[in-house]
Amino acid sequence: MTRRRSTLAPAVFYPAGGLIVLFVLLAFFATDAVAEVLTTLQAKTINGFGWYYIVIVAAFMVFAIWMGVSRFGEITLGPDDEEADFKLPVWFAMLFATGMGIGLVYYGVAEPLSHFESPKPGVTGDAPALAQAAMGQTYVHWGFHAWGIYVVIGLALAYAIHRKGRPASIRWALEPLLGKERVQGWLGNVIDVLAIFGTVFGVATSLGLGVQQVAAGLDYLEVADATLALQMGLIAAITAVAAISVASGLERGIKWLSNGNMILAGALVVAVLIMGSTLFLAREWVQSIGFYFQNVMMMTFDTLAFQGEDGLAWESDWTIFYWGWWMSWAPFVGMFIARISRGRTVREFVLGTLLVPMLVTTVWFSVFGGSAIHQERNDPGSMLDADGTVNTDTAMFQLFESLPGGGAWMAVIAIILVVVFFVTSSDSGSFVVDMLANGGEQNPPLWSRLFWAVLEGGVAAALLYAGGLSALQTAAILTALPFSLVMIGSAFSVWKALDAEYRQITRAERRLRRRELTEHVTDRVTEHVTENFAEISGQSAVRSPDPAPRRSRWRRGTSR
C-alpha cells in the first residue's frame, strides 16, 4: 500500500493552529484578562481605524465595479476560449447559495427593526422616514459593499488559479505585486496565516451568532432555557455534526445539506411573503431599492464624526463590525467563488458576484425586515421586549408568532436553517483553511480538516465565554485589520496582472492585424497580376523593340 505524501506546510499550519489554540485556552482560563484586552483593542481600533475601514471598503466596492466595466472585462479566467465549468443558471444558483448564511437568518428581522426603533445617530423624522432609512442602512451593510470585498480577493484568486495555474492559496493572489520568490518565502507564509486567522474567526463569529439564536429559539419553544451552558452544548453538538459532514465528503455531506437548506430558506421566505402583507412588501422592496441608490454615497462615507461617543458606539456595533466581518470572511468566500468561476470572463465574474447576491439579500431583508417594521407600526410593542428594546436573538421568532398560521413550525424551520448553515459553512471553511495550511493542495488530508472544524467550534465557544456578542464583534473587527493590507495588495496585484496581459493581447492583435493586412494586400496583388498577366505580357511585347536595332541606334548615336 502506497503511503500518501504529506502536503502539510509547517510554516503555515503550526503558527496559525498554535496561536488559535493558545487564544482558546487563554479565553477559558484567563477569561477576565482576555475580555479586558478585547474591549481595549476594540476601542482603540474603532477610535484609530474606524475611518480607515469606511474608506477602504468604499474603495473595494469602486474597484470591483471598475474592473467589471473596464477594458479587462473580456479576459477569461482560464485558458482562452474555454467554456465555463458551470452553466449560467447553475453558477447563479451557487452564487445565490453563497449569499445565504447564518447572518441573514440572525439579522433578517433584527437589523431593520433595530434601526427603526433606535435610529442611527443623526437620523430623524416621522415613522415612515425612519422605516425607510432603516431599510436603506441595512442594504448598505449587506449589499454591494460586502460583495465588493469578496470580488477583490475572489478575482485575484480566480486569475492566479485558473489563468496562471497557481495553487489554491491566498499568497499567489499577490504574485504579480511581490514576485514569485517572496510569495514562496516567509512573506507568503505570513499572508496565508493571516487568511487562516480571518477565516477561522469569521466562521466562529457566525457560529456564535447562530448558537445565540438557536438557544433563544429553544427557549421560545419552551424546550430549554437560553443559558451559557446551553450555548456551549449547542456549539459542541453542531461542531460534531460539522465534523461528520467533513468526514462524509463533499458529495455525500455538504452537497445535499446545502441543497436542502436552500429549499428550506426559499420556503420560509415565500411563507412569510404570502402570510404577511404581500402587496406592501412588494412596494416596500421597490421603494427601498430606489432609496438605497439615491443615498448610497452619503451612507457609505458617513463616519458620524459629529455624533461624538454615540456615533462611535453605533459604528462599532454596526458598520465597522460588518466591514470587519466581511473582510474576515473574504478568504473563504473569495476562494469559493473563484473555484466555481473557471471559464468566466472578468466582466461576468464581477457583475454576477455583485448583482445576484445583492438581489437575494435585498429580497430577504425586505420580506423579513419589512414585515417586522410593518407589524411594529400596526401593533406598537409587539416586536419589542418588555424593556422596549429589540432582542436580536428572539426578533425572528416574535415575527413568526405575529403571522396568521405562523409560530412554532416556522421557528423550527429557522432553527434547522441556522444549524445547517453553520454545518455547511464550517465544512467549507475547514476545507479552505486546510488548503491554505497545505500549500494550496486541493485535496487536503481528512485529519487536518477535522482539526480545523473542531478549532472553529472552540473559538466560537471561547468568544461567547469571554464576552458574548461584544467579543464576537471585536474578533471580527480585529482580525480584519491586518488582512485588509493583503486585500489592498490583491487589488493592486490583479490590476497589474490584467493590465500587463491586456497590453500583451493588444500587441498580439496588432501584429495579427498587420500580418493579415500584409497577406491580404499580397493576395490582391498576386490575384491582379495573375488575372491580367496575358494583357500585361501582350502590351510588353508590342512596346518592346527588337534589342538588336536598339543597340545599333545607340552605337550610331554615339559615333556622331
Side-chain angles (χ1 to χ4, degrees), residues 356-371:
V356 174
M358 176 67 178
L359 177 64
V360 174
T361 53
T362 56
V363 169
W364 183 274
F365 279 106
S366 288
V367 171
F368 285 95
S371 296

Side-chain angles (χ1 to χ4, degrees), residues 431-480:
F431 186 74
V432 169
V433 168
D434 209 16
M435 284 195 299
L436 298 176
N438 282 270
E441 170 63 38
Q442 297 195 36
N443 186 27
L446 176 60
W447 71 266
S448 52
R449 287 180 64 186
L450 290 171
F451 169 80
W452 294 112
V454 171
L455 194 56
E456 287 161 0
V459 171
L463 290 171
L464 284 178
Y465 192 75
L469 179 60
S470 176
L472 294 171
Q473 293 175 327
T474 302
I477 292 170
L478 295 179
T479 53

Side-chain angles (χ1 to χ4, degrees), residues 521-535:
V521 172
T522 303
D523 290 342
R524 290 298 301 271
V525 171
T526 303
E527 180 183 355
H528 178 75
V529 171
T530 302
E531 291 177 351
N532 299 279
F533 180 74
E535 181 181 351

Side-chain angles (χ1 to χ4, degrees), residues 121-441:
V123 175
T124 58
D126 56 11
L130 294 178
Q132 189 61 82
M135 295 304 303
Q137 189 65 54
T138 304
Y139 285 3
V140 169
H141 289 157
W142 290 84
F144 288 130
H145 294 73
W147 289 92
I149 292 172
Y150 299 148
V151 164
V152 170
I153 192 69
L155 182 60
L157 283 171
Y159 181 85
I161 296 170
H162 301 314
R163 187 75 175 176
K164 295 299 182 182
R166 298 297 187 248
S169 183
I170 302 295
R171 66 175 71 196
W172 292 104
L174 281 82
E175 181 188 6
L177 184 66
L178 300 178
K180 189 173 182 178
E181 290 186 1
R182 290 191 181 93
V183 164
Q184 290 179 317
W186 68 268
L187 189 55
N189 295 333
V190 171
I191 291 169
D192 281 345
V193 168
L194 290 176
I196 289 175
F197 265 87
T199 302
V200 169
F201 279 88
V203 172
T205 299
S206 296
L207 174 58
L209 296 176
V211 163
Q212 287 182 322
Q213 191 171 38
V214 171
L218 294 176
D219 194 355
Y220 168 81
L221 295 172
E222 299 181 351
V223 175
D225 294 332
T227 62
L228 180 61
L230 176 62
Q231 293 176 358
M232 294 297 165
L234 287 171
I235 288 177
I238 296 173
T239 301
V241 176
I244 294 172
S245 176
V246 167
S248 66
L250 184 64
E251 292 298 323
R252 289 179 295 176
I254 188 173
K255 183 177 180 179
W256 68 265
L257 283 176
S258 298
N259 293 338
N261 221 33
M262 291 308 302
I263 294 172
L264 277 180
L268 190 62
V269 75
V270 170
V272 175
L273 180 63
I274 294 175
M275 296 164 62
S277 302
T278 308
L279 180 59
F280 163 78
L281 294 175
R283 294 167 59 205
E284 177 266 325
W285 176 65
V286 174
Q287 180 174 310
S288 297
I289 289 288
F291 180 88
Y292 168 77
F293 281 112
Q294 183 181 4
N295 297 277
V296 64
M297 187 66 70
M298 180 273 294
M299 291 188 291
T300 294
F301 291 97
D302 187 8
T303 61
L304 302 178
F306 299 111
Q307 302 300 327
E309 294 298 322
D310 290 341
L312 284 174
W314 192 94
E315 288 274 286
S316 175
D317 289 341
W318 294 106
T319 303
I320 302 303
F321 160 61
Y322 276 126
W323 292 174
W325 195 12
W326 303 152
M327 281 190 277
S328 67
W329 266 78
F332 166 39
V333 180
M335 184 71 74
F336 175 79
I337 61 177
R339 290 191 66 194
I340 66 173
S341 299
R342 182 182 177 90
R344 295 285 164 200
T345 65
V346 171
R347 183 165 293 114
E348 288 175 332
F349 179 91
V350 172
L351 295 183
T353 303
L354 287 179
L355 294 179
V356 174
M358 176 67 178
L359 177 64
V360 174
T361 53
T362 56
V363 169
W364 183 274
F365 279 106
S366 288
V367 171
F368 285 95
S371 296
I373 293 175
H374 186 66
Q375 171 64 24
E376 179 61 25
R377 290 194 63 197
N378 290 337
D379 185 8
S382 61
M383 293 297 299
L384 306 178
D385 270 359
D387 60 359
T389 61
V390 176
N391 187 328
T392 310
D393 295 335
T394 62
M396 178 166 282
F397 305 114
Q398 291 172 271
L399 173 64
F400 294 157
E401 190 175 20
S402 71
L403 295 173
W409 69 273
M410 299 182 79
V412 171
I413 291 178
I415 290 173
I416 294 173
L417 277 176
V418 171
V419 171
V420 178
F421 273 137
F422 172 70
V423 170
T424 54
S425 296
S426 178
D427 195 339
S428 304
S430 301
F431 186 74
V432 169
V433 168
D434 209 16
M435 284 195 299
L436 298 176
N438 282 270
E441 170 63 38

Side-chain angles (χ1 to χ4, degrees), residues 15-66:
L19 289 174
I20 295 174
V21 169
L22 178 62
F23 170 82
V24 172
L25 294 176
L26 289 175
F28 279 112
F29 295 104
T31 308
D32 293 339
V34 170
E36 183 178 352
V37 168
L38 288 175
T39 301
T40 301
L41 288 176
Q42 182 189 36
K44 289 186 178 297
T45 302
I46 296 299
N47 287 328
F49 295 97
W51 63 272
Y52 166 77
Y53 279 69
I54 297 293
V55 171
I56 201 63
V57 171
F60 289 151
M61 182 183 68
V62 172
F63 176 81
I65 296 173
W66 174 67

Side-chain angles (χ1 to χ4, degrees), residues 477-548:
I477 292 170
L478 295 179
T479 53
L481 186 59
F483 191 72
S484 68
L485 301 178
V486 176
M487 295 194 61
I488 293 172
S490 297
F492 278 107
S493 185
V494 72
W495 171 82
K496 182 178 180 181
L498 288 173
D499 183 65
E501 179 158 341
Y502 181 81
R503 292 175 184 274
Q504 291 178 353
I505 292 172
T506 302
R507 287 194 293 267
E509 288 178 344
R510 287 174 180 169
R511 288 194 298 268
L512 179 60
R513 284 197 295 268
R514 284 197 297 266
R515 185 165 60 248
E516 289 176 345
L517 180 61
T518 302
E519 292 175 353
H520 176 72
V521 172
T522 303
D523 290 342
R524 290 298 301 271
V525 171
T526 303
E527 180 183 355
H528 178 75
V529 171
T530 302
E531 291 177 351
N532 299 279
F533 180 74
E535 181 181 351
I536 295 173
S537 300
Q539 291 177 353
S540 300
V542 171
R543 293 175 182 172
S544 299
D546 184 21

